[in-house]
Amino acid sequence: ILLDNVLFITGYSYLTMGSKRVLNSVAETLKRESFSFVIQGHVCCTEGESDAVDRKTNKKNLSIARAKFVYDFLLEKGISKDRMKFNGYGESMPKYSNSTDKGRSKNRRTDFLVL
């Protein structure tokens, strides 16, 4: 499940205000469901690197920091930690070629992998 309109501030694992509203809605839906899932963070365009640099920590862990932020957000909204895991994949799992603007924007994403 691709989380459309869940956007982060460039270089950080902080959500935009609009994205918090989207995740609030996702949390309400998840409360009515019972499936388990993995939150997958992805970044792109970090040529020669395994992950983008998180400007908060100066570490190359932006994809995992973003996945954990979503995990923590959902945990705070009442989603059980027994249902969720999170992983960061850097640029290792692109959906599109990074040679186009569309590819670069689609490869910066957060997905849910339903287990």
Side-chain angles (χ1 to χ4, degrees):
I1 300 170
L2 174 63
L3 300 179
D4 282 329
N5 299 317
V6 175
L7 306 173
F8 294 89
I9 297 171
T10 302
Y12 293 93
S13 59
Y14 304 122
L15 292 169
T16 63
M17 288 304 292
S19 296
K20 289 180 182 180
R21 287 189 290 275
V22 170
L23 273 185
N24 277 324
S25 177
V26 169
E28 290 304 312
T29 300
L30 288 172
K31 288 177 185 177
R32 297 187 298 268
E33 302 292 339
S34 61
F35 60 83
S36 297
F37 57 96
V38 178
I39 302 161
Q40 299 179 323
H42 304 271
V43 297
C44 82
C45 319
T46 54
E47 193 172 313
E49 301 294 337
S50 61
D51 204 343
V53 174
D54 183 344
R55 292 179 186 170
K56 177 182 174 187
T57 63
N58 266 346
K59 294 182 181 177
K60 294 178 186 171
N61 67 344
L62 189 57
S63 64
I64 197 165
R66 288 178 171 181
K68 182 164 185 341
F69 190 96
V70 172
Y71 173 92
D72 290 341
F73 186 95
L74 295 174
L75 192 63
E76 184 179 295
K77 298 298 178 182
I79 307 304
S80 171
K81 66 181 178 181
D82 296 332
R83 293 179 56 198
M84 302 185 291
K85 296 179 182 177
F86 63 91
N87 283 314
Y89 293 97
E91 62 179 31
S92 67
M93 297 172 63
K95 285 190 175 236
Y96 304 94
S97 169
N98 279 330
S99 64
T100 66
D101 287 340
K102 177 183 179 185
R104 286 187 293 276
S105 68
K106 294 290 185 182
N107 290 334
R108 290 187 296 257
R109 67 191 191 281
T110 305
D111 297 335
F112 283 1
L113 174 63
V114 178
L115 303 176

